[in-house]
Amino acid sequence: MSENDRNKQDYLEQINEYLSRIDGINEYIIVMEGFPIYWGKDIDQSRAEELSALATDVINSTSFLREGEEEYMIVTLETSKGLFSVSRIGDLMVLLKGDAEIIRKALENIRLFINERGLKCPWCNNDLSIKPIKCPSGKHVLPFGLYYCPYCHTKIEYIKCPYCNKPVSPHGNPIVFKRTKETIVTTTLFGIITALMLFIGLILSKVSILGGSISVLSATILGILTYMVSRKKSPVELTRREQNIEGRNRS
Ligand SMILES: [Zn+2]
Ligand SMILES: [Zn+2]
């Protein structure tokens, strides 16, 4: 086995491992030079062979790829055994059956991984393209790059890089935690109200001790709440331009 073959084998194993873990993929076949190398979930060998032969025919008869263009496409293959998406990336072919959105994302990620210019962690530069992620509820395993979980509909604001544990957005941009404009405006406003209530309380206490005390107490509670809210930071995705600015500020 040459070095190149070993690398290829390692690639295929990683793709197999990836597809076996993703929710929403019911069947998959990894085809190399016309032969099924890996297959999984609800599929047996004879079916894998039959489908890979069929998919090879379909791909070969599809001629919309012009020379010099990237060898990547997703075609939909309708068979008596259901609807499949097939993608060819070089001499590799991947057949998937399951949720359309998941399949498209998984195929895109596999392409990025193969081309080695995939989704890199912006903090540590490790390849994240075929790292399965978990949705915020922790129940669903998904391909990287989705903005919400299609199963429990929770928003995916960021994931933690499995290598460096830092937050990364579904676009692959770094996430920083900041106080939002809304938080700043709201807390400033409540700060002013707190000060006013305190002021009124002090004036009132000259007339009525009870009224003054209630007012001062309310102001104190409001003040504590405002302080707590003002500490809240929200995840913010940095775009490439902002990353440059942040980098310049840091240095
Ligand atoms: Zn979920
Ligand atoms: Zn990282």
Side-chain angles (χ1 to χ4, degrees):
M1 222 191 228
S2 74
E3 178 76 16
N4 199 24
D5 286 341
R6 251 196 306 275
N7 281 344
K8 218 170 223 179
Q9 188 63 25
D10 184 47
Y11 264 40
L12 297 183
E13 260 172 46
Q14 288 187 60
I15 296 168
N16 177 45
E17 157 85 12
Y18 174 61
L19 293 175
S20 68
R21 288 182 57 196
I22 302 282
D23 287 327
I25 294 175
N26 304 332
E27 297 179 7
Y28 70 87
I29 312 166
I30 300 168
V31 184
M32 198 72 199
E33 287 151 4
F35 297 100
I37 307 292
Y38 291 105
W39 53 88
K41 304 215 177 176
D42 309 321
I43 203 161
D44 61 22
Q45 186 172 355
S46 65
R47 186 170 178 182
E49 281 168 1
E50 187 189 334
L51 282 165
S52 53
L54 193 65
T56 307
D57 285 348
V58 170
I59 291 269
N60 289 342
S61 67
T62 312
S63 57
F64 60 78
L65 271 184
R66 281 180 295 274
E67 220 173 311
E69 277 187 16
E70 203 177 337
E71 240 193 317
Y72 170 72
M73 60 178 163
I74 299 172
V75 293
T76 304
L77 178 65
E78 185 149 22
T79 72
S80 57
K81 305 197 167 174
L83 217 58
F84 279 83
S85 278
V86 195
S87 183
R88 185 177 71 184
I89 310 151
D91 47 7
L92 176 77
M93 213 165 71
V94 183
L95 259 96
L96 298 177
K97 187 181 169 187
D99 291 346
E101 195 183 357
I102 301 275
I103 283 177
R104 184 159 281 275
K105 212 28 126 187
L107 286 172
E108 277 171 15
N109 289 349
I110 291 170
R111 178 182 60 107
L112 290 173
F113 171 69
I114 298 275
N115 291 342
E116 284 180 352
R117 46 180 181 72
L119 245 153
K120 298 267 164 63
C121 171
W123 306 104
C124 70
N125 212 33
N126 278 300
D127 195 321
L128 301 178
S129 11
I130 62 164
K131 286 281 161 205
I133 63 157
K134 274 192 174 172
C135 76
S137 80
K139 288 181 196 145
H140 308 110
V141 182
L142 306 168
F144 193 98
L146 293 174
Y147 272 82
Y148 72 99
C149 174
Y151 302 108
C152 61
H153 304 287
T154 43
K155 198 174 165 198
I156 303 168
E157 285 181 299
Y158 62 91
I159 59 122
K160 280 200 173 154
C161 168
Y163 298 101
C164 68
N165 214 28
K166 289 189 173 163
V168 181
S169 83
H171 270 141
N173 287 326
I175 290 280
V176 290
F177 290 88
K178 282 182 175 173
R179 291 184 180 88
T180 62
K181 270 194 193 111
E182 289 79 6
T183 310
I184 295 168
V185 170
T186 316
T187 51
T188 307
L189 204 67
F190 275 89
I192 293 166
I193 295 171
T194 306
L196 271 174
M197 278 170 67
L198 209 58
F199 181 68
I200 292 166
L202 290 175
I203 291 174
L204 209 63
S205 64
K206 290 194 174 123
V207 188
S208 150
I209 298 288
L210 184 66
S213 308
I214 289 170
S215 195
V216 168
L217 189 66
S218 314
T220 309
I221 293 168
L222 189 65
I224 291 168
L225 288 177
T226 306
Y227 174 70
M228 278 160 68
V229 173
S230 74
R231 286 169 57 93
K232 188 179 160 277
K233 289 183 180 178
S234 307
V236 178
E237 179 174 359
L238 292 185
T239 62
R240 194 152 298 165
R241 207 172 66 87
E242 287 165 334
Q243 284 170 45
N244 290 338
I245 294 166
E246 290 269 320
R248 238 177 282 141
N249 288 346
R250 240 176 279 147
S251 58

